[in-house]
Amino acid sequence: MEKMKRIVGVKVIQLDEVGSTNEYAKAIAHEVPEGTVVVAKRQTAGRGRKGRSWVSPKGGLWISVILKPPRVDQRLAFVGALAVIDTLADFGISAGIKWPNDVWVNGRKISGILVEGRAGEYSILGIGLNVNNPIPEELRENATSMMELIGSKLPLEEVLKRLLLHLDGWYRVFLEKPDLLMAKVREGTFILGKPVTVIEGEEKIPGIALDVLDDGSLLIDSNGQLKRIMYGDVSLRLF
Ligand code: BT5
């Protein structure tokens, strides 16, 4: 069932259940104004990047924001990540960005972001944030939720409200002062200066993460060679 509500001035379409809020958002993107948000209590086919799945039972925040910037820009993922970090801070949780699209707390993932779009038409900023939802056994080692960190259930609508306010702020920064957005990303990225392995396509590249460049790419020093990674998966190496 679809309900429409305004939260902090934002048009929010609320669904009880959907396959993926990103898919739903894409289907209606042409008919709704920029900034419209789709939120579902539960996703049955939540998606991550590269066809991976995103576990989305009741209790979490699963949202997609329909945006219409001049072009599809992967840096929109940072708008999502910084808004999630600020939202977590509002509830006393300190979090960092794991390039390119995750938010982590104490070595575990609390939020994942998926940007998809069609050039010249729309961009969908999908955000999954574990709030009160249970974390399945197989993800426990690497994933956490706000409830687990705080020790009690959180008011989901209040978390959504905070997230929407921060998204509005960071989206404006992205449009008007992208340099400031990227400076904040660098500040919030905890892998910088650390040994990492980057998986880019079929390739596994070991190196030291040096910087996030203004275009959003990751600069690493791989055995003395500088490499710019546009899109990939990063894991921290212990040695
Ligand atoms: C992501 O992909 O992290 C992007 C996730 C985006 C989810 C949102 S929810 C609203 C919107 N609608 C959608 O259908 N998607 C977006 P990736 O970097 O590929 O990470 C996926 C991996 O994260 C999986 O392979 C699991 O290992 C792990 N994972 C799955 N569900 C998780 C969860 N709830 N919490 C933490 N980790 C999870």
Side-chain angles (χ1 to χ4, degrees), residues 105-215:
V105 179
N106 301 335
R108 290 190 293 165
K109 181 160 169 170
I110 195 163
S111 172
I113 290 146
L114 179 67
V115 174
E116 298 178 291
R118 238 175 223 276
E121 295 182 32
Y122 59 78
S123 292
I124 308 295
L125 170 55
I127 302 175
L129 173 61
N130 297 325
V131 183
N132 300 321
N133 54 298
I135 305 290
E137 192 58 45
E138 66 276 15
L139 290 180
R140 285 264 166 82
E141 207 182 318
N142 297 313
T144 190
S145 68
M146 292 177 77
M147 180 170 79
E148 187 177 272
L149 293 165
I150 289 173
S152 58
K153 271 198 175 181
L154 286 111
L156 201 55
E157 180 142 346
E158 187 57 29
V159 181
L160 173 61
K161 199 165 134 190
R162 302 303 312 171
L163 182 60
L164 295 179
L165 283 170
H166 292 304
L167 278 168
D168 181 54
W170 285 114
Y171 184 54
R172 278 169 211 268
V173 175
F174 163 78
L175 291 175
E176 289 158 23
K177 294 186 184 147
D179 294 357
L180 177 61
L181 181 91
M182 294 314 296
K184 276 286 175 188
V185 169
R186 270 174 218 116
E187 222 174 84
T189 301
F190 61 85
I191 58 168
L192 298 185
K194 304 218 169 97
V196 292
T197 302
V198 181
I199 301 171
E200 195 189 33
E202 300 287 290
E203 230 189 324
K204 265 191 179 182
I205 312 165
I208 307 287
L210 295 181
D211 201 2
V212 181
L213 303 178
D214 279 345
D215 64 358

Side-chain angles (χ1 to χ4, degrees), residues 18-23 38 43 45-57 61-64 100-103 108-116 124-130 133-136 138-139 142-144 231-233:
V18 72
S20 153
T21 54
N22 264 33
E23 289 308 319
V38 179
Q43 295 185 118
R47 289 188 299 102
R49 295 176 304 147
K50 303 174 188 162
R52 291 187 286 238
S53 72
W54 181 259
V55 177
S56 336
L61 262 189
W62 324 122
I63 82 165
S64 296
N101 70 317
D102 290 1
V103 176
R108 290 190 293 165
K109 181 160 169 170
I110 195 163
S111 172
I113 290 146
L114 179 67
V115 174
E116 298 178 291
I124 308 295
L125 170 55
I127 302 175
L129 173 61
N130 297 325
N133 54 298
I135 305 290
E138 66 276 15
L139 290 180
N142 297 313
T144 190
Y231 198 65
D233 284 302

Side-chain angles (χ1 to χ4, degrees), residues 78 97-101 189 191 212 216-218 229-232 234:
F78 301 133
I97 300 178
K98 182 159 157 293
W99 185 93
N101 70 317
T189 301
I191 58 168
V212 181
S217 59
L218 181 72
I229 316 286
M230 288 309 293
Y231 198 65
V234 173

